[in-house]
Amino acid sequence: MTLIKSISGIRGTIGGKVEENLTPIDAVKFAAAYGTWLKQQRNKENYRVVVGRDARISGEMIQNLVMNTLVGLGIHVIDVDLSTTPTVEVAVPMEHADGGIILTASHNPKQWNALKLLNAKGEFLNGAEGQKILEIAESNDMNFAEVDDLGKITKNTAYIDLHIEEVLKLPLVNAKAIENANFKVVVDGVNSTGGIAIPLLLERLGVHPVKLYCDPTGHFPHNPEPLKEHLGDLAAAVVKERADFGIVVDPDVDRLAFMDENGDMFGEEYTLVACADYVLSKNPGNTVSNMSSTRALRDVTEKHGGMYEASAVGEVNVVELMKKNNVVIGGEGNGGIIYPELHYGRDALVGVALFLSLLAEKRMKVSELRASYPNYYMSKKKIELTPGLDVDGILSTMESNYSHEKLTTIDGVKIDFADSWVHLRKSNTEPIIRIYTEAPSQEAADTLADRFIAEIKAIANI
């Protein structure tokens, strides 16, 4: 059982002991710290926070604790109930709220939950803001409202529909072409809120959705991370239904992956590549993804005359660089599409609409679309280290050993070779080094990863 406190929020497993797991006391304490921080940002008469959750089993309990803690601080709450992460992000500025909280542990299994925190723009907090909330939580310096000044909870369950409306308003969403294409699509909603939002979006676009695990019970039918090894049922359903393709999202609907008409993965890394290809063909410009994402986005961006740059890993870092570079589309290689025309957050609904527009206009099968992009293969591995080992020292040695190559050191060490790359970075929460590689073949990517694992072990004497 685990509780992880970090600048990006608090997450942990339900049950067990206080400060060792995500217990009711921990949820209340962290919500109170966030509410206290929010009130410190500006002095005003009324404060408002949007709160929503994915469908995991513990969600309703945690949401009630969080909302009533905010009420106790004198903060008014807009309860959007079952929702998605991008929907809450959209709702915050639409409600003119001071912030938002999403209760979700993303792709983690059902025993996990988390509080993800937003600012008044509906964007994730930066490192300094997150650190301040951690300090408030540890200090217990929180002052609650008197009885006449308690906040109120207002329920508004319309925001998934409102979010869909905002997506449909986007100029590059070609709703007419999508409707005329008469697509049939299987949707794996992993029994969470994607099972609500994605079929509704498809229906509005004139697409026939075949629902698979779209009942938002929180009982995930498989590992909820949208990877090939977890999606056998989706592959079988796509083939059986003779569907045009399949869609799968994670429980909070900020990660998106596609499956082609043969039941083969389009590749989660290529979700952003395809959406960027479409957007850049209409609106040329720059792109950003994180350092551990595929090189194919760079290739597509340069094909359209734009500039690509990689950020440190983490959505906040991606967004920061996107704003700096005036990017038209960006995101993360884990299927996270960030389209600033709507908002600065990973959004599977926007990704679905852009992908459908691309497919409808090109009038080709999903397998043919995938074949039109450069082929890169990734390997993702890790090395478990002895606690107390000097991880920074190990990475510094690797940097020195490869100083003759093209290096990026804003987040660990990334080494760019002519036809491949390797990214080495330490975990912020456990004693491991993560190794990401990409090469022209899977064998080459795996071999490169194994080579660097051996080098790290030699340096660390393990």
Side-chain angles (χ1 to χ4, degrees), residues 138-151:
E138 291 306 311
S139 70
N140 282 324
D141 186 16
M142 296 168 269
N143 188 21
F144 288 86
E146 296 183 8
V147 68
D148 292 328
D149 299 320
L150 297 175

Side-chain angles (χ1 to χ4, degrees), residues 302-425:
E302 292 176 352
K303 180 186 77 172
H304 290 289
M307 293 180 59
Y308 166 80
E309 188 173 353
S311 76
V313 173
E315 185 172 330
V316 170
N317 299 316
V318 174
V319 167
E320 181 181 359
L321 189 57
M322 286 179 67
K323 291 179 178 179
K324 178 182 176 183
N325 290 3
N326 195 27
V327 159
V328 295
I329 188 169
E332 297 186 295
N334 60 9
I337 307 298
I338 303 177
Y339 189 46
E341 185 80 10
L342 182 56
H343 69 118
Y344 278 103
R346 294 183 301 173
D347 190 331
L349 278 75
V350 168
V352 167
L354 294 175
F355 186 83
L356 283 165
S357 299
L358 171 66
L359 207 60
E361 290 190 9
K362 283 188 173 287
R363 299 183 180 181
M364 61 169 56
K365 294 180 178 179
V366 172
S367 60
E368 295 170 338
L369 178 65
R370 176 62 184 83
S372 71
Y373 297 124
N375 265 330
Y376 295 107
Y377 297 84
M378 295 190 74
S379 179
K380 301 179 182 181
K381 300 186 179 184
K382 63 183 180 180
I383 305 175
E384 295 187 5
L385 304 172
T386 304
L389 204 61
D390 183 9
V391 179
D392 290 326
I394 293 170
L395 294 178
S396 179
T397 300
M398 294 298 294
E399 181 182 347
S400 298
N401 290 349
Y402 286 89
S403 59
H404 57 287
E405 302 286 355
K406 182 180 178 182
L407 297 178
T408 308
T409 57
I410 58 173
D411 183 5
V413 179
K414 184 174 183 179
I415 308 164
D416 271 293
F417 302 107
D419 63 350
S420 60
W421 55 259
V422 58
H423 184 199
L424 313 170
R425 63 188 299 266

Side-chain angles (χ1 to χ4, degrees), residues 63-195:
Q63 183 175 5
N64 285 327
L65 290 164
V66 166
M67 290 194 304
N68 282 293
T69 300
L70 296 174
V71 166
L73 285 163
I75 296 171
H76 300 303
V77 173
I78 300 96
D79 171 15
V80 298
D81 200 35
L82 285 173
S83 192
T84 77
T85 288
T87 301
V88 176
E89 292 171 347
V90 168
V92 170
M94 290 181 75
E95 283 285 342
H96 304 288
D98 300 284
I101 300 178
I102 306 144
L103 305 168
T104 174
S106 297
H107 62 273
N108 291 112
K110 68 178 182 178
Q111 66 267 30
W112 287 81
N113 213 329
L115 282 68
K116 293 186 176 181
L117 310 176
L118 304 175
N119 62 22
K121 296 178 180 179
E123 299 169 12
F124 286 115
L125 306 187
N126 62 35
E129 293 165 336
Q131 182 60 43
K132 180 61 177 176
I133 290 169
L134 289 175
E135 291 170 1
I136 293 170
E138 291 306 311
S139 70
N140 282 324
D141 186 16
M142 296 168 269
N143 188 21
F144 288 86
E146 296 183 8
V147 68
D148 292 328
D149 299 320
L150 297 175
K152 292 182 173 60
I153 298 173
T154 303
K155 195 155 190 171
N156 187 339
T157 58
Y159 266 102
I160 287 179
D161 288 325
L162 293 172
H163 183 185
I164 290 171
E165 289 288 345
E166 293 301 306
V167 171
L168 296 177
K169 288 178 187 176
L170 293 169
L172 293 192
V173 174
N174 193 339
K176 184 175 182 180
I178 295 169
E179 184 175 7
N180 290 340
N182 195 31
F183 289 119
K184 181 180 183 181
V185 179
V186 181
V187 180
D188 182 348
V190 73
N191 283 344
S192 190
T193 49

